[in-house]
Every structure is written in structure tokens, then in C-alpha cells.
Amino acid sequence: MSADTSTTLPDIKVSVRQTFGIDSDLQVPAFSSATQHVPDVDSAYRFDRDTTMAILAGFAHNRRVMIQGYHGTGKSTHIEQVAARLNWPCLRVNLDSHISRIDLIGKDAIVLREGMQVTEFREGILPWALQNPTALVFDEYDAGRADVMFVIQRVLEVDGKLTLLDQNKVIRPHPSFRLFSTANTVGLGDTTGLYHGTQQINQGQMDRWSIVTTLNYLPHDQEVNIVTAKAPQYDSEEGRKIVSAMVALADLSRAGFIAGDISTVMSPRTVITWAENARIFGGDIGFAFRLTFLNKCDEVERATLAEYYQRCFGKELPAGSGKSAKPH
């Protein structure tokens, strides 16, 4: 990747009230035009007030923002959708166990130049992002390897420079570089047993995250509104009753997950997919539930989920593809 060393800065301000539907007089810096790295706007997206204000503070005041919460709550999507409305380029990096220090920093690579094989340094994602007007999001931050975390620690300071020892080069962050992270835990390790592979985060590093916010699952009615916005064929009295039952089942799965009764949880994305699949299968809610979610679950947990279905829909989960509730 070649670095863009231009000094592109936000050139407009947007109203938080008008753009995000939040009761605030704040004006936030933004870009008037989008580049290829700006996420697409999801017009049906609903913003959580506290999380949105935390993310906006990160963009407006160059704060390092961590969003903590259970998986499926939409932590990364929240950052992307704020960035989309600010026309702020945004890149996500998942800190799984395969991401190494070399992936972040860069490495020497053999390339052909004028018919000759030469070795040249290829920058990784971190040096490139640092030098560009980019919001870099580290997903699964609490699952990062130790060597990776120490590299990141260098750039957590607002003016944190990155030293490339192999290149005898010091990279200063672009004025419009922003840094975010998402995590299932809050840096204290996994005390619940729900998130294997997460670990404690060095407290010196946690100190450098200047804003930490928690994003929980959406309130029931708000999630119903989002699903009907994404699957408008359910936007009727009967359809909303069906979606309400779907969301109620999702709520039960989340409570069961938190309690340790089941190991797979229904995210809002799963509920939307379920509603869309039900339309594909002629309104067969039970069959769509099997194909969308139940078949992903451990066999020993399926009886529990079938019980959830019965409680929410007032009928047994069909064994096959028999017709169930159908919106008109």
C-alpha cells in the first residue's frame, strides 16, 4: 500500500440532531465527499444515544474509544454507520489469533523491478492508516496477541508516533486519523466462560483508551422497528406481531446465553435474516427459523430453543416445513 501523505481534513460540520436523530446541539466535523473506504449508509439503522455520543467524541476530539458488549449487539456496525454519515474513511481489522505484528507493521517483500528481483518494504495496515484520514477499528480487541498489543500501545497516545525500526523511520499520525476498538470484555479477561480466547489487557494500555462505552442489546420495540424497516413486508399489524414474537425469542436466546443455558445467541442481524428467509419460504416462520438459526446450534440445545419458540409463538415448532404464521 502506498501512503497518501495529503493533509485532507474535515471541511464541513454536521448537526447531531439532524444526522443522528439525537437531541443535542453538537456540530461534528465531517467530509463533504466520500472516498472508496467510506462505509455505505444503512438508512434503516437506529443509533443508540450513549454509544453514538461516545463515537462522535472520538471523531470530533480525537479520543480513543472502546465499545464493550456481548457479540451481536452491533458494536462495529455502530462505528461504521457513524463514519458513513461523516464521510469518514473507515477500516476494520479483526485481531484474531492469526493477526501478527508483521501483518500490522509490514514486511520485506521480493518484487520485480525492471526485470530484477529486489527486496522492498511493504507497509502493513497500521502505518498506512496512520498516514491517512482514516478511522481504524480493531475488532475483538481483547483477543489480540501480546506482540500485536504492544505495537498498538505505541499509537494509543493522541500524538503517538510509530517507529519502524527496520526502516529507520518515524511515522506521525495524520490529523484525521482516529482509533476505535470493540471488545466482548472490558479488559479484565473472561470471568463468565462465554468468550474463550479473550484475555486480560495490560492496565497501562487500558488507561490509554480515553472513552469506554457499553452497548447492550436493543430494547424490544426498537428492534421490532429495525426488523420491519429491513423487511417491510412485515410492516402491518399482523406482521409486526410476528416480528415481535421473533424478537421475543431472540431475547430469550440472549438471556439463555448469558445464563449459560445455550452457547449460540440470536443477534438483531439473525432476526432480520429470519424474517427475510420466511418471506422466501412463503411465510413459513418455523421452517425459516430452522434454516436460519436452529441448524447452527448444538443438537443438545435445540430442545431448549424449540421450547423458546413454543413460548413465543404459542405453538410447537413444526417438525418439517409445515406452514406457520404468515403476514399479509
Side-chain angles (χ1 to χ4, degrees), residues 16-226:
V16 170
R17 181 176 285 106
Q18 287 180 357
T19 307
F20 299 96
I22 292 173
D23 187 16
S24 169
D25 294 328
L26 278 178
Q27 301 275 320
V28 183
F31 294 92
S32 55
S33 59
T35 67
Q36 62 175 331
H37 293 303
V38 173
D40 294 332
V41 170
D42 178 355
S43 56
Y45 195 79
R46 300 291 186 273
F47 290 94
D48 172 77
R49 185 191 186 283
D50 291 355
T51 305
T52 304
M53 294 303 287
I55 295 168
L56 289 172
F59 278 111
H61 302 288
N62 199 8
R63 311 303 282 167
R64 304 298 189 232
V65 181
M66 173 184 283
I67 305 176
Q68 180 267 336
Y70 292 110
H71 71 278
T73 53
K75 301 181 293 292
S76 307
T77 308
H78 220 98
I79 299 167
E80 283 188 325
Q81 286 306 307
V82 171
R85 284 155 176 79
L86 301 178
N87 278 333
W88 210 298
C90 182
L91 296 176
R92 287 170 57 180
V93 176
N94 195 310
L95 292 187
D96 58 42
S97 58
H98 298 292
I99 291 286
S100 67
R101 180 183 180 279
I102 286 176
D103 295 321
L104 279 189
I105 297 292
K107 59 186 175 183
D108 288 328
I110 298 173
V111 297
L112 278 175
R113 197 174 299 286
E114 296 178 1
M116 302 282 289
Q117 285 191 345
V118 295
T119 302
E120 67 177 38
F121 184 76
R122 289 287 177 88
E123 287 182 346
I125 191 67
L126 187 56
W128 182 87
L130 265 171
Q131 296 171 87
N132 284 278
T134 302
L136 184 60
V137 183
F138 287 121
D139 284 330
E140 314 298 343
Y141 188 74
D142 45 358
R145 290 164 33 164
D147 59 334
V148 169
M149 302 306 269
F150 281 113
V151 170
I152 294 170
Q153 186 161 326
R154 300 184 204 170
V155 298
L156 277 173
E157 303 288 351
V158 169
D159 59 349
K161 303 176 186 68
L162 181 65
T163 304
L164 298 178
L165 294 175
D166 322 4
Q167 304 300 301
N168 293 325
K169 181 179 179 184
V170 176
I171 296 175
R172 289 173 169 77
H174 188 285
S176 299
F177 170 74
R178 298 292 183 267
L179 192 59
F180 298 89
S181 69
T182 69
N184 295 133
T185 67
V186 75
L188 302 176
D190 181 19
T191 57
T192 62
L194 299 178
Y195 295 108
H196 303 294
T198 57
Q199 52 215 357
Q200 289 190 339
I201 298 173
N202 175 326
Q203 282 302 296
Q205 181 159 150
M206 278 303 296
D207 254 1
R208 289 170 166 82
W209 289 99
S210 43
I211 295 176
V212 178
T213 186
T214 300
L215 182 61
N216 291 314
Y217 291 113
L218 294 165
H220 180 94
D221 291 347
Q222 196 172 338
E223 188 166 345
V224 170
N225 289 338
I226 289 172

Side-chain angles (χ1 to χ4, degrees), residues 250-299:
D251 288 337
L252 286 176
S253 81
R254 293 159 194 169
F257 174 76
I258 292 167
D261 296 334
I262 58 174
S263 56
T264 313
V265 70
M266 290 186 75
S267 69
R269 186 186 301 115
T270 308
V271 181
I272 292 166
T273 305
W274 179 11
E276 290 171 341
N277 285 348
R279 179 177 59 83
I280 291 170
F281 297 117
D284 193 336
I285 303 296
F287 184 59
F289 175 66
R290 283 187 182 281
L291 270 58
T292 307
F293 183 69
L294 194 69
N295 289 346
K296 296 177 183 176
C297 301
D298 190 312
E299 277 193 45

